[in-house]
Amino acid sequence: MDNLIALLVAAPLLGAAVLLCGGRRLDAVGHWIGTVLAAASFVIGAVLFADMLGKDAEHRAVGQHLFSWIPVEGFQADVAFQLDQLSMTFVLLITGVGSLIHVYSIGYMEHDERRRRFFGYLNLFLAAMLLLVLADNYLLLYVGWEGVGLASYLLIGFWQHKPSAATAAKKAFLVNRVGDLGLSIAIMLMFTTFGTFAFGPVLEATGETGEGTLTAIGLMLLLAACGKSAQVPLQSWLGDAMEGPTPVSALIHAATMVTAGVYLIVRSGEIFNAAPDAQLVTTVVGAVTLLFGAIVGCAKDDIKKALAGSTMSQIGYMILAAGLGPIGYVFAIMHLVTHGFFKAGLFLGAGSVMHGMNDEVDMRRYGGLRKYMPVTFVTFGLGYLAIIGFPGLSGFFSKDKIIEAAFAKGGTEGWILGSVALLGAAVTAFYMTRVMLMTFFGEKRWQPDERGNEPHPHESPKSMTIPMVVLAFGSVFAGGFFGVGDRFVHWLEPVTEHTHGHPPIGATAVTLSTVTVMVVGVGLAYLLYGRRPVPAVAPRGSLLTRAARRDLLQDDFNHVVLVRGGEHLTRSLVYVDHTLVDGVVNGTAASMGGLSGRLRKLQNGYARSYAVSMFGGAALLIAATLLMRAV
């Protein structure tokens, strides 16, 4: 069975190679090739999962060494895979949800003339993400990390004929390069400190390493996670990434790219456990981002951008949980999995709405769609109930556990983190209820487009609705399956370890508080959007609302601090170069030129000048000799 691990990556990688290199002759069947190979990877993962369940918890981790990548003295890099409970969780999520998105894309991209290439990019995305989570060392993980960045760039900018899509792809690529720099520095620090970058030796040696070094490594890993998972301060790319086709948004937000940062931190748990300062910064980043994304989601009228703010916020919960250490690692991954179901379902539901509304994304031009799109309404509604933490659905079990773990941290820090997480739950219920009401309830508000074509809402084809139904099933039942009896805790505990936390106010009180704030958020949204007509143009709103519409001024901040700051820095460096550096160089050259010009006159080629020089020199020697004798 161990030999099958490489096939997990090989299947979608083969699909990418065939589809991207096969040419137009594959246009008619390219989407089927990509979907079948994605599904094949899922089947292989399911077989390996079944084999893993048949073993004792201590013997479930297996590996496969393919070849030595860089075998030189003192530097050994291998292409080798590690499959344990943590990586298996990601394998099933990536291939399972990824395959459903492939099926959905068959209908969604039906009329796109470049559909074959799109499926090739989807396969490449899956292969890169699988390489990332299966690698048994940080250097090979980095290869998958960069592959994910490349695939996201290609897919976000897939419709590059739109300037906004091309700009969004470039923005995502550049922002992620900042995070990637953090990962590369962390890997270099690991090698200089431990002499290796393999997971096992690095994590086992943390107990013998200074806290300062581990803190530096932890902070660089966190920087990398902030880039891939769109956390403050590297979150600005995620909203613009909605310019790509909707299946891309579902894949990025639910199964691949934004989950990579959470995986990196949890996989590196031993480093963070030994570096309390890095853990603290991680929890702060998660807490700030979960509120940041939720506030942004409240003010967006673009349905996909509202969901993008939601993703930012939910990943913030996961990063917060990962920063709590052994109390929260399991729940970070549990919420990641349940989020994979309901967020993929929500994005595919948004794509279904757009499909029936002539690609309209403004929710102010929706309204009453539940009558025209019943399957989309029900599946999207179940995803909505899951994400707001409705009792009994997936999000209730996973997010509630993170809030409990935050309070269980203890002391002032625990109260602050727990309160922030509770506030985030209230805001989540508010903005998601707003999305639900503006899209599916009220009176119809759609209008003819620029060419005078009025939308005719209709249900999407089965190739799109069937994946939505499957994901809705996961949104309802996955959390209960994992949470009841601590199944997921027992599954991951051998890899991540787990410490049972006890909130100072009690677990029951935390649950009641979470449900209460959820009801408050839903009620407030209903008062503002359910009982009032939705205006065609958003009112000006408060200062906070206007700032939230501009993503809390994140792009303005980046422009002023980074772009303008970079321009001023460049001009300063040019001035120093022209005045100081060039001045010293040119001044030295001019001085030497002047000196050589004067010395040149001593060698002018005239015999009389030489005779005078010789006579003068002889006179000086005679005078000096007479003077010395007189003395």
Side-chain angles (χ1 to χ4, degrees):
M1 285 294 180
D2 299 355
N3 295 330
L4 295 178
I5 300 176
L7 294 180
L8 289 167
V9 181
L13 188 61
L14 174 64
V18 170
L19 294 177
L20 296 177
C21 301
R24 294 187 177 277
R25 72 192 74 175
L26 296 177
D27 282 355
V29 295
H31 50 290
W32 293 113
I33 293 174
T35 303
V36 167
L37 287 173
S41 186
F42 173 71
V43 171
I44 295 169
V47 171
L48 289 169
F49 176 63
D51 180 66
M52 185 176 285
L53 289 177
K55 301 177 181 178
D56 295 334
E58 307 82 47
H59 302 99
R60 285 175 173 171
V62 294
Q64 181 181 6
H65 181 276
L66 292 185
F67 57 89
S68 294
W69 178 17
I70 310 175
V72 297
E73 185 177 357
F75 188 93
Q76 181 72 28
D78 296 326
V79 174
F81 299 127
Q82 170 181 296
L83 185 65
D84 56 19
Q85 291 91 325
L86 178 60
S87 52
M88 176 57 77
T89 301
F90 276 83
V91 164
L92 294 177
L93 176 67
I94 295 164
T95 58
V97 175
S99 296
L100 291 174
I101 293 172
H102 275 70
V103 174
Y104 178 93
S105 300
I106 293 174
Y108 191 88
M109 301 294 290
E110 181 178 5
H111 302 295
D112 195 298
E113 61 182 14
R114 298 168 66 236
R115 182 165 63 164
R116 170 185 53 81
R117 181 174 297 183
F118 179 79
F119 276 83
Y121 292 159
L122 287 184
N123 273 200
L124 179 63
F125 213 155
L126 291 190
M129 190 66 191
L130 287 168
L131 179 61
L132 190 159
V133 299
L134 288 170
D136 84 334
N137 62 81
Y138 285 96
L139 192 61
L140 188 59
L141 178 150
Y142 188 79
V143 176
W145 191 272
E146 291 300 317
V148 168
L150 171 62
S152 67
Y153 170 78
L154 296 172
L155 285 167
I156 293 170
F158 184 75
W159 289 327
Q160 69 265 30
H161 59 275
K162 297 164 52 180
S164 57
T167 301
K170 182 171 65 175
K171 183 177 182 180
F173 189 82
L174 292 176
V175 173
N176 272 273
R177 296 292 71 73
V178 178
D180 295 352
L181 178 63
L183 181 56
S184 62
I185 293 174
I187 294 173
M188 287 185 271
L189 286 173
M190 289 174 191
F191 186 77
T192 56
T193 304
F194 307 109
T196 181
F197 27 70
F199 290 146
V202 168
L203 300 179
E204 289 172 4
T206 53
E208 305 169 1
T209 308
E211 184 177 317
T213 301
L214 293 176
T215 299
I217 294 174
L219 291 177
M220 290 298 100
L221 292 175
L222 176 61
L223 179 63
C226 287
K228 277 289 182 287
S229 297
Q231 300 292 285
V232 172
L234 300 179
Q235 78 287 2
S236 62
W237 65 271
L238 191 61
D240 292 349
M242 299 304 98
E243 291 292 336
T246 299
V248 175
S249 303
L251 194 60
I252 288 176
H253 288 248
T256 55
M257 189 164 178
V258 297
T259 65
V262 183
Y263 171 80
L264 180 65
I265 293 176
V266 174
R267 175 62 76 186
S268 308
E270 294 296 331
I271 295 174
F272 286 88
N273 293 342
D277 291 339
Q279 276 190 330
L280 176 61
V281 176
T282 302
T283 57
V284 170
V285 167
V288 170
T289 308
L290 76 87
L291 285 182
F292 188 105
I295 293 171
V296 168
C298 290
K300 294 295 185 181
D301 292 329
D302 183 319
I303 187 171
K304 289 176 65 178
K305 289 192 175 183
L307 294 178
S310 168
T311 298
M312 196 185 303
S313 178
Q314 297 304 307
I315 299 294
Y317 272 104
M318 301 171 206
I319 296 294
L320 168 61
L324 296 173
I327 300 177
Y329 289 143
V330 170
F331 303 130
I333 302 301
M334 181 177 172
H335 192 53
L336 185 149
V337 174
T338 60
H339 177 264
F341 285 109
F342 57 70
K343 185 51 63 67
L346 289 169
F347 265 110
L348 296 188
S352 179
V353 170
M354 293 167 58
H355 183 268
M357 291 292 292
N358 294 348
D359 290 328
E360 178 63 67
V361 295
D362 189 345
M363 293 185 293
R364 294 185 180 276
R365 298 185 178 183
Y366 291 165
L369 292 180
R370 70 185 188 281
K371 304 173 185 176
Y372 305 90
M373 311 178 72
V375 177
T376 300
F377 167 64
V378 172
T379 55
F380 192 98
L382 291 174
Y384 151 73
L385 292 174
I387 194 174
I388 68 172
F390 190 84
L393 275 71
S394 292
F396 169 77
F397 291 97
S398 57
K399 190 160 59 177
D400 185 73
K401 289 294 185 181
I402 292 177
I403 297 173
E404 282 185 29
F407 277 112
K409 182 70 174 177
T412 304
E413 181 183 345
W415 279 101
I416 293 174
L417 294 175
S419 299
V420 169
L422 269 179
L423 178 59
V427 182
T428 299
F430 174 82
Y431 71 73
M432 284 306 305
T433 303
R434 173 179 180 267
V435 170
M436 197 72 188
L437 292 173
M438 292 179 69
T439 302
F440 295 102
F441 292 87
E443 299 298 325
K444 66 177 186 179
R445 301 182 299 275
W446 53 83
Q447 302 172 358
D449 59 20
E450 299 173 352
R451 293 171 291 183
N453 299 323
E454 183 172 341
H456 296 284
H458 57 277
E459 191 56 85
S460 299
K462 289 185 178 180
S463 64
M464 296 172 64
T465 56
I466 290 175
M468 291 159 56
V469 171
V470 175
L471 291 169
F473 185 86
S475 300
V476 174
F477 297 108
F481 178 78
F482 293 148
V484 175
D486 285 338
R487 286 192 184 93
F488 203 74
V489 171
H490 297 320
W491 166 255
L492 277 187
E493 193 171 12
V495 180
T496 62
E497 299 182 357
H498 180 65
T499 301
H500 290 278
H502 302 285
I505 59 176
T508 302
V510 172
T511 300
L512 291 175
S513 300
T514 304
V515 173
T516 300
V517 299
M518 180 267 291
V519 171
V520 170
V522 171
L524 182 58
Y526 177 74
L527 290 175
L528 294 178
Y529 296 94
R531 300 186 61 182
R532 302 177 183 179
V534 177
V537 179
R540 179 175 173 82
S542 65
L543 180 62
L544 178 60
T545 301
R546 297 197 300 273
R549 287 177 187 148
R550 295 172 61 89
D551 299 325
L552 291 181
L553 308 180
Q554 55 184 318
D555 285 333
D556 302 81
F557 176 83
N558 290 341
H559 185 75
V560 171
V561 175
L562 300 178
V563 178
R564 290 281 182 84
E567 289 175 354
H568 290 307
L569 177 61
T570 302
R571 290 170 185 166
S572 300
L573 292 175
V574 170
Y575 176 78
V576 170
D577 180 60
H578 286 173
T579 57
L580 181 61
V581 178
D582 287 354
V584 171
V585 173
N586 294 336
T588 302
S591 299
M592 296 303 296
L595 178 62
S596 62
R598 290 174 174 79
L599 291 175
R600 180 172 58 82
K601 295 179 179 180
L602 299 177
Q603 299 289 332
N604 55 19
Y606 293 111
R608 59 180 179 272
S609 297
Y610 298 155
V612 171
S613 298
M614 294 170 63
F615 177 78
L620 288 174
L621 288 174
I622 293 171
T625 302
L626 293 174
L627 181 60
M628 291 178 64
R629 286 183 178 181
V631 173

